[in-house]
């Protein structure tokens, strides 16, 4: 299993440009999330999904869109990049197993985004 | 709203000494609690979790944590620190009620193990 993969690893955008961060998992997990990590602020939830076709907003959703057409893929779209979106972005997946199994999240390696 | 507090930005400990990284939480229902570790320029890796059952949980690399419901704490511990334990540690909480609930992370504690 590849686990959770993210592309690209690094990206530089100019203000106003748009782009899509890709996330895929091959573990058949039902739940997927996008976080951003900023110094001193921990991980903040942007959007999450509880299954194909179902998404919801997290703590900091403004400026980002998501969709989930398949169980495997959960892309994050930046509509019009701003310098405040300079951050490291992590995708994670999980599932709630029976009998107390699992629940923990599996994280991708991250995408480091700089907006100038 | 649920929250996690990691009161120490950094913890320094000598190699071979016991270490503790503190975490307190607030959640309306019963909690699911997690610890993750992040090495430089890497994603987060799962260390251990409390879902139900024994309050003392053991995880990877010799780490353990104790769930204390009355103090709403879930401190991470290790009896003897290694230099290789130096990393950023995150505590996280999720409400266990009503299907899937969002996970909230603390701001992280940098652990520095001094040789």
């Amino acid at each position: 299993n590849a686990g959770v993969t993210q592309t690209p690893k690094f990206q530089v955008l100019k203000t106003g440009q748009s782009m899509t961060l890709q996330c895929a998992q091959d573990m058949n997990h039902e739940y997927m999330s996008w976080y951003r990590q900023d110094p001193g602020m921990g991980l903040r939830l942007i959007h999450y999904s509880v299954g194909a076709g179902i998404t919801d907003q997290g703590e900091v959703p403004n400026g980002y869109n998501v969709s989930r057409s398949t169980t495997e893929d959960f892309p994050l779209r930046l509509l019009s990049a701003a310098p405040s979106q300079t951050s490291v972005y992590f995708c994670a997946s999980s599932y709630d197993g029976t009998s107390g199994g699992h629940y923990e999240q599996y994280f991708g390696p991250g995408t480091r985004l700089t907006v100038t | 709203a649920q929250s996690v507090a990691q009161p120490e930005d950094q913890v320094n400990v000598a190699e071979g000494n016991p270490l503790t990284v503190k975490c307190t939480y607030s959640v309306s229902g019963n909690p699911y609690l997690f610890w993750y570790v992040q090495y430089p320029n890497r994603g987060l890796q799962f260390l251990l979790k409390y879902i139900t059952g024994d309050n003392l949980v053991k995880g990877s690399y010799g780490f353990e944590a104790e769930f204390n419901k009355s103090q709403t704490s879930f401190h991470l511990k290790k009896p003897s620190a290694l230099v290789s334990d130096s990393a950023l540690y995150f505590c996280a909480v999720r409400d266990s009620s009503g299907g899937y609930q969002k996970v909230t992370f603390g701001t992280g504690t940098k652990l520095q193990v001094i040789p």
Side-chain angles (χ1 to χ4, degrees):
Chain A
N1 285 354
V4 179
T5 58
Q6 291 183 237
T7 56
K9 285 186 169 32
F10 301 94
Q11 184 70 49
V12 179
L13 290 178
K14 294 187 188 304
T15 298
Q17 287 184 318
S18 62
M19 78 160 294
T20 299
L21 279 62
Q22 301 291 345
C23 173
Q25 52 95 5
D26 61 358
M27 297 172 284
N28 202 32
H29 285 175
E30 51 192 330
Y31 308 132
M32 295 186 76
S33 301
W34 275 102
Y35 296 90
R36 59 177 289 172
Q37 183 178 20
D38 302 292
M41 303 192 74
L43 272 74
R44 292 183 291 169
L45 182 65
I46 304 171
H47 286 285
Y48 68 101
S49 169
V50 298
I54 307 170
T55 64
D56 205 348
Q57 295 182 352
E59 182 184 354
V60 287
N62 292 341
Y64 307 95
N65 272 358
V66 292
S67 60
R68 192 157 175 214
S69 56
T70 67
T71 299
E72 295 78 18
D73 300 300
F74 191 44
L76 177 72
R77 282 181 288 278
L78 278 69
L79 309 173
S80 177
S84 60
Q85 294 179 304
T86 293
S87 187
V88 181
Y89 292 83
F90 289 102
C91 179
S93 72
S94 66
Y95 82 101
D96 290 354
T98 57
S99 304
H102 300 278
Y103 299 90
E104 66 270 20
Q105 292 178 300
Y106 293 74
F107 283 82
T111 295
R112 188 173 296 271
L113 176 68
T114 301
V115 183
T116 61
Chain B
Q2 65 193 32
S3 64
V4 175
Q6 293 183 242
E8 300 153 319
D9 290 337
Q10 182 159 335
V11 169
N12 297 323
V13 63
E15 187 176 24
N17 281 3
L19 70 88
T20 299
V21 182
K22 295 179 181 177
C23 171
T24 58
Y25 67 90
S26 173
V27 68
S28 57
N30 290 321
Y32 293 153
L33 292 157
F34 307 88
W35 276 103
Y36 292 87
V37 61
Q38 185 181 32
Y39 298 101
N41 301 314
R42 304 288 295 274
L44 277 70
Q45 297 176 28
F46 168 71
L47 270 183
L48 51 78
K49 64 190 174 190
Y50 171 81
I51 302 299
T52 187
D54 289 342
N55 290 343
L56 182 65
V57 294
K58 295 185 184 295
S60 307
Y61 312 121
F63 285 93
E64 60 187 30
E66 185 165 13
F67 169 58
N68 187 318
K69 188 171 184 176
S70 63
Q71 298 187 3
T72 62
S73 67
F74 190 57
H75 301 329
L76 181 70
K77 300 186 179 189
K78 187 174 182 182
S80 178
L82 300 173
V83 172
S84 58
D85 293 330
S86 298
L88 188 58
Y89 290 81
F90 289 97
C91 182
V93 68
R94 175 186 151 187
D95 195 316
S96 65
S97 56
Y100 183 77
Q101 301 290 335
K102 293 175 279 190
V103 178
T104 299
F105 284 81
T107 52
T109 298
K110 183 177 180 180
L111 175 66
Q112 190 79 30
V113 181
I114 303 160

